[in-house]
Amino acid sequence: MDGTFFAPVPRTGLDGRPFLMLGALNGHAPQDEDTTWLRDWRRLDGWKRWLTVRDAGHFTFLDLPVLGGQLGVTDPTAPLPGRRSGEITRAYVTAFFDQHLRGLPRPLLNGPSPANPEVLFQNP
């Protein structure tokens, strides 16, 4: 989640294994400076989703914004409220594991959701 691929996905893919890429819109959209996401997206050979989140930052997908929000602290470079960042992370990561480990269909992963307008589905 929201980091550079320091070790590239092999050119031959991941033997069809599912992969979820979840990151901040600023920095991880297809045209942004971190080109590792686009490179490795093209190499993924199984089920895959590339999701970016508006107003998110590098630490959005950790507990830090949730805890900071409880203390009244907000990162001005990532204005997504801490509580909301926790809700989004929990929803999409849980849906991914439910679908791929428990075999439970999760429509949340099929496309944009009116309940989560901050989440953008990338498909370069």
Side-chain angles (χ1 to χ4, degrees):
M1 291 187 278
D2 201 71
T4 298
F5 286 84
F6 291 108
V9 170
R11 291 184 190 278
T12 57
L14 297 176
D15 297 322
R17 287 189 289 263
F19 204 92
L20 174 66
M21 296 165 54
L22 178 64
L25 176 61
N26 184 17
H28 296 296
Q31 70 279 2
D32 281 338
E33 69 266 4
D34 186 350
T35 59
T36 64
W37 281 45
L38 183 58
R39 177 200 65 206
D40 290 350
W41 171 259
R42 291 176 175 154
R43 294 177 178 184
L44 295 170
D45 60 338
W47 181 100
K48 59 186 177 179
R49 293 294 180 273
W50 179 344
L51 307 178
T52 54
V53 181
R54 285 187 191 100
D55 295 330
H58 184 63
F59 296 108
T60 292
F61 309 99
L62 305 172
D63 292 339
L64 192 58
V66 176
L67 297 172
Q70 292 172 0
L71 297 171
V73 177
T74 303
D75 179 353
T77 66
L80 184 68
R83 181 176 181 177
R84 185 67 182 133
S85 70
E87 292 168 352
I88 289 170
T89 303
R90 214 171 19 259
Y92 286 90
V93 172
T94 299
F96 175 77
F97 285 122
D98 278 353
Q99 183 162 312
H100 295 288
L101 295 180
R102 300 176 71 203
L104 304 172
R106 293 297 182 229
L108 182 64
L109 299 171
N110 294 341
S113 166
N116 299 301
E118 308 93 335
V119 178
L120 305 172
F121 280 67
Q122 305 292 340
N123 195 9

